[in-house]
Amino acid sequence: MYDFAAELFPLNRSITGEGVRQTLKMCSDRIAEADGVGFEIKNVASGTEVFDWTVPKEWAIREAYIEDESGNRIVDMAVSNLHVMGYSTPVDQWVDLDELKEHVFTLPDQPDIVPYVTSYYKERFGFCMSQKQLDSLAPGRYHMYIDSELFDGNLTYGELVLPGESDEEIFFSTYDCHPSMANNEVSGPVLMCELIKYVKSLKNRRYTYRFIIIPETIGAITYLATGDHLKHMKEHIVAGFNISCVGDDRDYSIVHSKYADTLADRVLLSVLKSHTDGKYSDYSFLKRGSDERQYNSAGVDLPVVCFCRSKFGEYPEYHTSADDMTLISPEGFQGGYDVMIQVVDALEYNRIYVMTQPCEPQLGKRGLFPTVSKKGSYDAVMAMMYFMTYADGRNDLIGISEITGVPVKELTEIVDKLYANGLIKIL
Amino acid sequence: MYDFAAELFPLNRSITGEGVRQTLKMCSDRIAEADGVGFEIKNVASGTEVFDWTVPKEWAIREAYIEDESGNRIVDMAVSNLHVMGYSTPVDQWVDLDELKEHVFTLPDQPDIVPYVTSYYKERFGFCMSQKQLDSLAPGRYHMYIDSELFDGNLTYGELVLPGESDEEIFFSTYDCHPSMANNEVSGPVLMCELIKYVKSLKNRRYTYRFIIIPETIGAITYLATGDHLKHMKEHIVAGFNISCVGDDRDYSIVHSKYADTLADRVLLSVLKSHTDGKYSDYSFLKRGSDERQYNSAGVDLPVVCFCRSKFGEYPEYHTSADDMTLISPEGFQGGYDVMIQVVDALEYNRIYVMTQPCEPQLGKRGLFPTVSKKGSYDAVMAMMYFMTYADGRNDLIGISEITGVPVKELTEIVDKLYANGLIKIL
Amino acid sequence: MYDFAAELFPLNRSITGEGVRQTLKMCSDRIAEADGVGFEIKNVASGTEVFDWTVPKEWAIREAYIEDESGNRIVDMAVSNLHVMGYSTPVDQWVDLDELKEHVFTLPDQPDIVPYVTSYYKERFGFCMSQKQLDSLAPGRYHMYIDSELFDGNLTYGELVLPGESDEEIFFSTYDCHPSMANNEVSGPVLMCELIKYVKSLKNRRYTYRFIIIPETIGAITYLATGDHLKHMKEHIVAGFNISCVGDDRDYSIVHSKYADTLADRVLLSVLKSHTDGKYSDYSFLKRGSDERQYNSAGVDLPVVCFCRSKFGEYPEYHTSADDMTLISPEGFQGGYDVMIQVVDALEYNRIYVMTQPCEPQLGKRGLFPTVSKKGSYDAVMAMMYFMTYADGRNDLIGISEITGVPVKELTEIVDKLYANGLIKIL
């Protein structure tokens, strides 16, 4: 995953344009390697009305720099995509230092690094650099040069639906509109590709799985507003996950759905508790910030949570040049991946199981219980005993984990054993 | 308010009689100043059966004192109304010190001040003085003199109903049966008069407002037991507030309704939290003591809470001569008034709002959102974003405040803005 | 109770056999002393299928010892029943020390005491001794001798149903399958006998009471699986109590039902809180271990909690020779008995009471309220006032105790007073 992230990192992504299309193509190729099944790439034309919004013009950018009178390039997009404000209009103008400063964004509190800035819905231009660099500029004339274009084109996204036995759907969403930043957000598409490979590998898949890679906010709105997506999703989605910032190795985070009461909340919480031994960050919806906003918005009301390692907005490198390939790691990706596949497994197993007859069964005659009873000897089968008590028709598997504290992962093994012995059935 | 309180303070109020009538007249005149609309003054005859109770005889008192053999008046009602026990029967008798003591009430733990004592339902007489004064009395003969009368008359109360668009009612109750004590209870009628002026000033009032000034306990029972009050109130009242002890400036208090789950609890709690920044006292119904007792009693079951500054029974001057005009202040009244009008505003605005279309609207094009997105820049509109998410048909305005922590006061401004932009409607 | 426990202590009980029958006979005789009504003794034949289990063979044991080459008896069942593993098959064999050790159970962490070990469902034999004694054995030859028999016989239990006005039932269960251990479990049958005498003494008993003394686990399963017990109990039992370890004086414990939400949980919790002034141990169902397991199992789902003084598995002497007559005491029994009869009383009184008219009644005219109102004077009747507020049709008596903190015991006295005054009725 880390290597694939390194390939995606240099592309200059925005909410539209070539960077997005290249990213989608590379992701699609990656998941299609084994079976030829990649993302379906969809285009929505600029100017399309999407609820309260309009699909914006497409942005193309070829070159952007500031040079001084000696021809030295102070900043250059060729060095870092972050040096030019996203959706900058073209400019070719010599100005003095004071006027230049009106078009430069910095982070005074983090003077060594370059911020990430965009202006999608108001036409303007701008550059980004470190505060230190700005402070070092001598008075004089500077050449602001941006060779960009805003034109009627398309908003592009990728979609993949993997059918299962049921038409109930599990939904995963991530976004591809950020240029050269690693955790936020090369990591989301990378992890999703790996997760798709895992879901493809599941035999007798119970649920249908829907995956989308879209530009943040306007992409999610466009997706919900076009076709019959919203109606279909409200009818079919039982749990959804926005995946963002899943490449670093410092934390695990859940951002809850707006009432924190959906299956998505329950399953991710359950997996995080056992996977991290309780050491994860639990954010209420008031700390939301990514596309869980649209999925939970009034009138959409989908059961969607957000999963992160270190959550956007909570780590100092967020939305700056310091969110680079050194911030993420193979270990970071692996941890995020392990959580997501446990979530999938837990959902696939999450049924209401009931015992096939009253009272505790005789585990001993099935080799499931020690035959000599002495002090402390049956702790080993306690998890199974717990499961059997609460397999009474009132709880799903995640519910039994919530009550007993036994991780879903262990409960799925118990389910398999009791099934094999004819002791449980599905309600 | 403080000046009006000073005018009411000297009157000798009890559960019946001239003091009550004068108080009601002064209150009525005050609210009628601008528009001629004052309280309707109602009389219920002594002997009327009111549920388990009987309206008592009316009490008139002209003079009361104890004098010693030299003709010095030890205590005299002319100095303080508290020196004579409320509802004392007449007496004109010389006794020695020991017998006198059988008729004198003091506060041994607060030896400098005079207690407030009444005997409404058993005919007897008594005097009150400080423990210090009692201790200083020399052996000898004392003249107990009370010129009072108990006779068939009326229990008197004031009622005002201000109609609104809806026949659903907001109810305010306070009491006027305490003689010369300032916080408990000159302050309640004074604040209610000011609140009535505010409610009168509301254009397009949504709710109907019912205000009563009654004697405590027997008055509330009488009100509930006569006419169709109880039936009408059970059908129409959506939130009620007993107002008591609202003139001092030391605390803000809520005494919850018996299950702490009514609209009255929710709105007062919500206002107190933001108005006091969390520094208020939260009393369960087990600490109730005033007319919220009758309104919450079994068979009445109205959604009524009690609002106080320093709560009755919780401040040392309560029911003593130390509850005088120095205990209350203009600042105390203002704080209580500010809370009550916020309660009214919150109720008037408390509807279930829903967004007019799915997904977050584009605030930017309406000048409601910064167009340059950079680190931390949209904290300013967070409250609006929160509101819009939870304006999904599941919450009233107070509910959104409870979930998001944004004060109702700020939410009402957001409601106005979103309305003006056509982004919300009332469910 | 302590003396009766001392009589039962020496008997060699197991899940079947003469020890059980003798115990049941002695219990039955004890409760029948006054009125001739004892337990009905029931037999279920070995080999009977009971849900997933089979009623085991009956076990008879006559002699069991280990002797050394000099004829010294190392351990002897005649000294303590615990020296032979329960359900040991016969053996008569000389072995060397190493082989002997394969058949000896000890407690290495508690080297001075002898463990209690059984092997009900796998045929084998074994001895128990202290670790110290085992360590002291010299190399050499040892004679393992057990004169026992496993044969088709019966599982025996005792049952008593005391009818009341209603066919709703209160259920008590305890077990009699442990040999010579005092708290666990001579104490349970002893306390149940005393409780039966109390229930018999209740005039106009509201509920029907069902008491059973059975062997643990297999007995409870057998009881539930035979006759129409399960169906009948699911239809009639409103609260049930498994009684175990009720003879020591160190703690009071509740083990909750599996969702901790039944009438049994509520009543026992309520009594424990007031009886112990909050100093009791509150175990979730995850700490269950006795027959509450079967009663709460999936498909049985009865409202049964477990009551203990020091809970099984939580005190160091549990399932060892140290659980002897010095561990329990008359005071221990008395405390357990006091709790159980309060539970019965609370259930008998636990109705939904409602006031006969709105508003607080006038307590004064009934001599229930002080007529002089002064600071602090009416604390004494607060409990009654609380009761009357919440006697509004929404709460049963235990519910009012939960809300107000007034012990049920005190509330029952209030109920009697208000009844006598015509102020309440049963909903």
Side-chain angles (χ1 to χ4, degrees):
Chain A
M1 285 185 269
Y2 185 82
D3 293 342
F4 183 46
E7 290 173 41
L8 295 178
F9 185 81
L11 299 178
N12 193 0
R13 282 166 292 271
S14 183
I15 54 174
T16 60
E18 268 315 302
V20 172
R21 274 188 288 269
Q22 275 179 269
T23 302
L24 286 173
K25 173 79 169 55
M26 287 164 73
C27 288
S28 191
D29 289 350
R30 186 171 168 86
I31 63 172
E33 255 169 37
D35 62 2
V37 178
F39 284 104
E40 195 171 349
I41 309 299
K42 304 275 187 80
N43 287 297
V44 180
S46 301
T48 306
E49 300 288 328
V50 287
F51 296 136
D52 195 45
W53 303 65
T54 306
V55 173
K57 289 185 175 169
E58 193 172 319
W59 185 53
I61 181 146
R62 281 169 291 269
E63 199 170 11
Y65 58 81
I66 302 169
E67 65 181 349
D68 63 17
E69 287 163 294
S70 319
N72 299 318
R73 294 204 172 177
I74 306 301
V75 295
D76 189 339
M77 193 189 90
V79 175
S80 164
N81 292 316
L82 299 186
H83 284 311
V84 61
M85 179 171 79
Y87 263 64
S88 279
T89 48
V91 65
D92 184 359
Q93 191 181 352
W94 282 91
V95 293
D96 59 23
L97 181 58
D98 280 352
E99 192 175 344
L100 177 71
K101 284 184 174 177
E102 290 169 20
H103 299 281
V104 171
F105 298 92
T106 65
L107 292 169
D109 292 342
Q110 295 170 292
D112 292 312
I113 56 182
V114 181
Y116 162 58
V117 183
T118 65
S119 179
Y120 299 137
Y121 302 102
K122 183 173 174 185
E123 297 202 354
R124 66 176 99 178
F125 67 87
F127 297 90
C128 300
M129 63 180 73
S130 72
Q131 182 67 39
K132 272 201 180 149
Q133 186 175 20
L134 184 62
D135 293 343
S136 73
L137 294 185
R141 301 287 291 170
Y142 289 90
H143 184 202
M144 306 191 295
Y145 182 81
I146 299 178
D147 176 13
S148 69
E149 201 180 344
L150 286 168
F151 60 97
D152 284 336
N154 287 291
L155 180 151
T156 313
Y157 67 84
E159 179 192 50
L160 174 65
V161 177
L162 295 175
E165 287 170 3
S166 159
D167 64 359
E168 289 187 320
E169 292 187 7
I170 309 301
F171 173 57
F172 292 93
S173 178
T174 192
Y175 50 103
D176 59 355
C177 57
H178 286 46
S180 310
M181 288 176 294
N183 204 34
N184 178 230
E185 194 58 82
V186 162
S187 69
V190 167
L191 184 65
M192 184 185 276
C193 289
E194 214 63 20
L195 182 60
I196 287 169
K197 289 198 250 172
Y198 179 75
V199 172
K200 281 181 173 180
S201 78
L202 294 177
K203 289 163 208 153
N204 305 117
R205 208 157 45 217
R206 173 183 173 192
Y207 285 114
T208 293
Y209 288 79
R210 176 176 299 261
F211 302 90
I212 61 172
I213 303 185
I214 47 162
E216 207 178 9
T217 303
I218 186 65
I221 292 167
T222 298
Y223 189 77
L224 291 165
T226 53
D228 70 341
H229 290 151
L230 178 58
K231 182 169 179 293
H232 178 89
M233 290 166 83
K234 283 173 85 90
E235 287 169 5
H236 294 89
I237 287 179
V238 296
F241 305 86
N242 185 39
I243 298 177
S244 173
C245 304
V246 286
D248 79 323
D249 198 25
R250 296 177 289 189
D251 197 3
Y252 288 91
S253 309
I254 178 173
V255 182
H256 282 281
S257 72
K258 65 178 162 178
Y259 298 109
D261 61 354
T262 74
L263 178 57
D265 296 85
R266 295 175 63 227
V267 68
L268 181 53
L269 208 56
S270 183
V271 169
L272 284 180
K273 276 181 184 168
S274 66
H275 182 75
T276 69
D277 202 18
K279 292 177 193 65
Y280 61 94
S281 294
D282 193 296
Y283 296 100
S284 91
F285 188 76
L286 301 184
K287 290 289 192 175
R288 87 289 179 280
S290 177
D291 281 335
E292 67 278 3
R293 286 163 51 182
Q294 307 312 322
Y295 301 131
N296 283 276
S297 66
V300 176
D301 306 309
L302 291 171
V304 176
V305 297
C306 180
F307 170 59
C308 309
R309 297 292 315 255
S310 291
K311 180 185 163 287
F312 46 81
E314 303 287 333
Y315 61 94
E317 303 87 354
Y318 170 71
H319 271 200
T320 75
S321 57
D323 187 349
D324 62 17
M325 289 301 293
T326 65
L327 195 72
I328 63 173
S329 64
E331 294 71 26
F333 274 117
Q334 189 64 42
Y337 175 76
D338 288 346
V339 166
M340 281 292 101
I341 65 167
Q342 284 181 66
V343 161
V344 168
D345 289 350
L347 288 167
E348 291 280 319
Y349 265 91
N350 189 46
R351 300 182 186 269
I352 297 177
Y353 299 97
V354 286
M355 300 299 291
T356 49
Q357 58 185 331
C359 286
E360 295 177 351
Q362 193 184 355
L363 298 178
K365 72 180 180 190
R366 298 185 171 87
L368 298 168
F369 195 76
T371 51
V372 178
S373 151
K374 58 173 183 171
K375 219 182 163 184
S377 68
Y378 55 77
D379 287 356
V381 287
M382 206 44 114
M384 186 179 285
M385 307 289 276
Y386 287 163
F387 173 84
M388 295 190 303
T389 301
Y390 292 100
D392 60 2
R394 282 177 62 175
N395 312 288
D396 60 14
L397 194 72
I398 297 168
I400 295 180
S401 175
E402 288 163 353
I403 294 170
T404 63
V406 180
V408 169
K409 208 173 176 175
E410 288 184 36
L411 290 178
T412 59
E413 290 167 23
I414 290 171
V415 164
D416 288 342
K417 271 190 204 165
L418 295 179
Y419 244 145
N421 282 277
L423 290 171
I424 54 169
K425 60 182 176 188
I426 293 168
L427 189 66
Chain B
M1 285 184 269
Y2 185 83
D3 292 342
F4 183 46
E7 291 174 40
L8 295 179
F9 185 80
L11 300 177
N12 193 0
R13 282 166 292 271
S14 184
I15 54 175
T16 60
E18 269 316 302
V20 171
R21 274 188 288 269
Q22 277 180 267
T23 301
L24 285 174
K25 173 80 169 56
M26 288 165 73
C27 288
S28 192
D29 288 351
R30 186 170 169 88
I31 62 171
E33 255 169 36
D35 62 2
V37 178
F39 283 102
E40 194 171 351
I41 309 298
K42 305 274 186 81
N43 287 296
V44 180
S46 302
T48 306
E49 301 289 327
V50 286
F51 297 137
D52 195 46
W53 302 64
T54 305
V55 174
K57 289 185 177 170
E58 193 170 320
W59 184 55
I61 180 142
R62 284 168 290 267
E63 200 172 11
Y65 58 80
I66 303 168
E67 65 181 349
D68 64 16
E69 287 162 295
S70 320
N72 298 317
R73 294 206 172 176
I74 306 301
V75 296
D76 189 338
M77 192 188 90
V79 176
S80 165
N81 293 316
L82 300 187
H83 285 311
V84 60
M85 179 171 79
Y87 264 65
S88 278
T89 48
V91 65
D92 183 0
Q93 191 181 352
W94 283 90
V95 293
D96 60 22
L97 181 58
D98 280 351
E99 191 174 344
L100 176 71
K101 285 185 174 176
E102 290 170 19
H103 299 281
V104 171
F105 297 92
T106 64
L107 292 169
D109 293 342
Q110 295 170 292
D112 292 313
I113 57 183
V114 181
Y116 163 57
V117 183
T118 65
S119 179
Y120 299 137
Y121 302 101
K122 183 172 175 187
E123 297 202 354
R124 66 175 99 178
F125 67 88
F127 296 89
C128 299
M129 64 179 71
S130 72
Q131 183 65 40
K132 271 202 179 149
Q133 185 174 20
L134 184 62
D135 293 343
S136 73
L137 295 185
R141 302 287 291 169
Y142 290 91
H143 184 201
M144 306 190 297
Y145 182 79
I146 298 178
D147 176 12
S148 69
E149 200 180 343
L150 286 166
F151 59 98
D152 284 336
N154 287 291
L155 179 151
T156 314
Y157 66 84
E159 179 192 50
L160 173 64
V161 177
L162 296 174
E165 288 169 4
S166 160
D167 65 359
E168 289 187 320
E169 292 187 6
I170 309 300
F171 174 57
F172 293 93
S173 178
T174 192
Y175 52 102
D176 59 356
C177 55
H178 286 46
S180 309
M181 287 175 296
N183 204 34
N184 178 231
E185 194 60 80
V186 162
S187 69
V190 167
L191 183 65
M192 184 186 275
C193 290
E194 213 62 20
L195 182 60
I196 287 169
K197 289 198 249 172
Y198 179 75
V199 172
K200 281 181 173 180
S201 78
L202 294 176
K203 289 164 210 152
N204 305 116
R205 209 157 43 218
R206 173 183 174 192
Y207 285 113
T208 293
Y209 288 79
R210 177 176 298 263
F211 300 89
I212 62 173
I213 303 186
I214 48 163
E216 206 179 10
T217 303
I218 186 64
I221 292 166
T222 298
Y223 189 75
L224 291 165
T226 53
D228 69 340
H229 289 152
L230 179 57
K231 182 170 178 296
H232 178 88
M233 291 166 84
K234 284 173 85 88
E235 286 169 6
H236 294 90
I237 287 178
V238 296
F241 305 87
N242 185 39
I243 298 177
S244 173
C245 304
V246 287
D248 79 324
D249 198 25
R250 296 177 291 189
D251 197 3
Y252 288 91
S253 308
I254 179 173
V255 182
H256 282 281
S257 72
K258 65 179 160 177
Y259 298 109
D261 61 354
T262 74
L263 178 58
D265 296 85
R266 293 175 63 226
V267 69
L268 182 52
L269 206 57
S270 183
V271 168
L272 284 180
K273 277 181 183 168
S274 65
H275 183 75
T276 69
D277 202 17
K279 292 177 193 65
Y280 62 94
S281 293
D282 193 295
Y283 296 101
S284 91
F285 188 77
L286 301 185
K287 290 290 191 175
R288 86 289 179 281
S290 178
D291 281 334
E292 66 278 3
R293 285 164 51 181
Q294 308 312 322
Y295 301 131
N296 283 276
S297 67
V300 176
D301 304 309
L302 290 171
V304 176
V305 298
C306 180
F307 170 60
C308 309
R309 296 293 314 256
S310 291
K311 180 186 163 287
F312 46 81
E314 303 288 333
Y315 62 93
E317 303 86 355
Y318 170 71
H319 271 201
T320 75
S321 58
D323 187 350
D324 62 18
M325 288 303 293
T326 66
L327 195 71
I328 63 173
S329 65
E331 293 71 26
F333 275 117
Q334 189 63 43
Y337 175 76
D338 289 346
V339 165
M340 281 291 101
I341 65 166
Q342 284 181 65
V343 161
V344 168
D345 289 350
L347 287 168
E348 291 280 319
Y349 265 92
N350 190 45
R351 300 182 186 269
I352 297 177
Y353 299 97
V354 285
M355 300 299 292
T356 49
Q357 57 185 331
C359 286
E360 294 178 352
Q362 194 184 354
L363 298 179
K365 71 182 180 189
R366 298 185 170 85
L368 298 169
F369 195 76
T371 50
V372 179
S373 150
K374 59 174 184 171
K375 219 181 164 184
S377 68
Y378 54 78
D379 287 355
V381 287
M382 206 44 111
M384 185 179 286
M385 307 287 278
Y386 287 163
F387 174 83
M388 295 190 302
T389 301
Y390 291 101
D392 60 2
R394 283 177 63 174
N395 312 290
D396 59 14
L397 195 71
I398 298 167
I400 295 180
S401 175
E402 288 163 353
I403 294 170
T404 63
V406 180
V408 169
K409 209 173 175 176
E410 289 184 36
L411 290 179
T412 61
E413 290 168 24
I414 290 170
V415 164
D416 289 342
K417 273 191 203 165
L418 295 180
Y419 244 144
N421 283 276
L423 290 171
I424 54 169
K425 60 184 177 188
I426 293 168
L427 189 66
Chain C
M1 286 184 269
Y2 185 83
D3 293 342
F4 183 44
E7 291 174 41
L8 294 179
F9 184 80
L11 299 177
N12 193 0
R13 282 167 292 271
S14 184
I15 54 175
T16 61
E18 268 316 301
V20 172
R21 275 187 289 267
Q22 275 180 268
T23 301
L24 285 173
K25 173 81 169 57
M26 287 164 73
C27 288
S28 192
D29 288 352
R30 186 170 169 88
I31 62 171
E33 254 169 38
D35 62 3
V37 178
F39 284 103
E40 194 171 348
I41 309 298
K42 304 275 186 80
N43 287 297
V44 180
S46 301
T48 306
E49 301 289 327
V50 286
F51 298 136
D52 195 46
W53 303 64
T54 305
V55 173
K57 289 184 176 171
E58 193 170 320
W59 185 55
I61 181 146
R62 282 169 291 268
E63 199 171 12
Y65 59 80
I66 301 168
E67 64 182 349
D68 64 15
E69 288 162 294
S70 319
N72 298 316
R73 293 205 173 176
I74 306 303
V75 295
D76 189 340
M77 192 187 90
V79 175
S80 164
N81 292 316
L82 300 187
H83 285 312
V84 60
M85 179 171 78
Y87 264 65
S88 279
T89 48
V91 64
D92 183 359
Q93 190 180 352
W94 283 90
V95 292
D96 60 21
L97 181 58
D98 281 350
E99 191 175 343
L100 176 71
K101 284 184 175 177
E102 290 169 20
H103 300 281
V104 172
F105 297 92
T106 66
L107 291 168
D109 292 342
Q110 294 170 294
D112 292 312
I113 57 182
V114 180
Y116 163 57
V117 183
T118 65
S119 180
Y120 299 137
Y121 301 103
K122 182 173 175 187
E123 296 202 354
R124 65 176 99 178
F125 66 87
F127 297 89
C128 299
M129 64 179 72
S130 73
Q131 182 66 40
K132 271 202 180 151
Q133 186 174 19
L134 184 62
D135 293 343
S136 73
L137 294 186
R141 302 287 290 171
Y142 290 91
H143 184 200
M144 306 190 297
Y145 182 81
I146 299 178
D147 176 13
S148 69
E149 201 181 344
L150 286 167
F151 60 97
D152 285 334
N154 287 291
L155 180 150
T156 314
Y157 67 84
E159 179 192 50
L160 173 65
V161 177
L162 296 174
E165 289 170 1
S166 159
D167 64 359
E168 289 187 319
E169 292 187 7
I170 310 299
F171 173 58
F172 293 93
S173 178
T174 192
Y175 51 102
D176 59 356
C177 57
H178 285 46
S180 310
M181 287 176 295
N183 204 34
N184 177 231
E185 193 61 79
V186 162
S187 70
V190 167
L191 183 65
M192 184 186 275
C193 289
E194 213 63 20
L195 181 61
I196 287 168
K197 288 198 250 173
Y198 179 75
V199 172
K200 281 181 174 181
S201 78
L202 294 176
K203 289 164 209 151
N204 306 118
R205 209 158 43 218
R206 174 183 173 192
Y207 286 113
T208 294
Y209 289 79
R210 177 177 299 263
F211 302 89
I212 61 173
I213 304 186
I214 48 163
E216 206 178 11
T217 304
I218 186 65
I221 293 166
T222 298
Y223 189 75
L224 291 165
T226 53
D228 70 341
H229 290 152
L230 179 57
K231 181 169 179 295
H232 178 89
M233 290 166 84
K234 284 173 84 89
E235 286 168 6
H236 294 88
I237 287 178
V238 296
F241 305 87
N242 185 40
I243 298 177
S244 173
C245 303
V246 287
D248 80 323
D249 198 24
R250 295 176 290 190
D251 197 4
Y252 288 90
S253 308
I254 179 173
V255 182
H256 283 281
S257 72
K258 64 178 162 179
Y259 298 109
D261 61 355
T262 74
L263 178 58
D265 296 85
R266 295 175 63 226
V267 69
L268 181 52
L269 207 57
S270 183
V271 169
L272 284 180
K273 276 180 183 169
S274 66
H275 182 76
T276 69
D277 202 17
K279 292 177 193 66
Y280 62 93
S281 294
D282 193 296
Y283 295 100
S284 90
F285 189 76
L286 301 185
K287 290 289 191 174
R288 86 288 179 281
S290 177
D291 281 334
E292 66 278 4
R293 285 164 51 181
Q294 308 311 322
Y295 301 131
N296 282 277
S297 67
V300 176
D301 305 309
L302 290 171
V304 176
V305 298
C306 181
F307 171 59
C308 310
R309 295 295 313 256
S310 292
K311 180 186 163 285
F312 45 81
E314 304 287 333
Y315 61 93
E317 303 86 354
Y318 170 70
H319 271 201
T320 74
S321 58
D323 187 350
D324 62 18
M325 289 302 293
T326 67
L327 195 73
I328 62 174
S329 65
E331 293 73 25
F333 276 117
Q334 189 64 43
Y337 175 76
D338 288 346
V339 166
M340 281 291 101
I341 66 167
Q342 284 181 66
V343 162
V344 168
D345 289 351
L347 288 167
E348 291 280 318
Y349 265 90
N350 190 47
R351 299 183 186 269
I352 297 177
Y353 300 97
V354 286
M355 300 300 291
T356 49
Q357 58 186 330
C359 286
E360 293 178 353
Q362 193 184 354
L363 298 179
K365 72 181 180 189
R366 298 186 170 85
L368 298 169
F369 194 77
T371 51
V372 178
S373 151
K374 59 174 183 171
K375 218 181 163 182
S377 68
Y378 54 78
D379 287 356
V381 287
M382 205 45 111
M384 186 180 285
M385 307 288 276
Y386 287 163
F387 173 84
M388 295 190 302
T389 300
Y390 292 100
D392 60 3
R394 283 178 61 175
N395 312 289
D396 59 14
L397 194 72
I398 297 168
I400 295 180
S401 175
E402 288 163 353
I403 293 171
T404 63
V406 179
V408 169
K409 208 173 176 175
E410 288 184 36
L411 291 179
T412 60
E413 290 168 24
I414 290 170
V415 164
D416 288 344
K417 273 190 202 164
L418 296 180
Y419 245 145
N421 282 276
L423 291 171
I424 53 169
K425 60 183 176 188
I426 294 170
L427 188 65

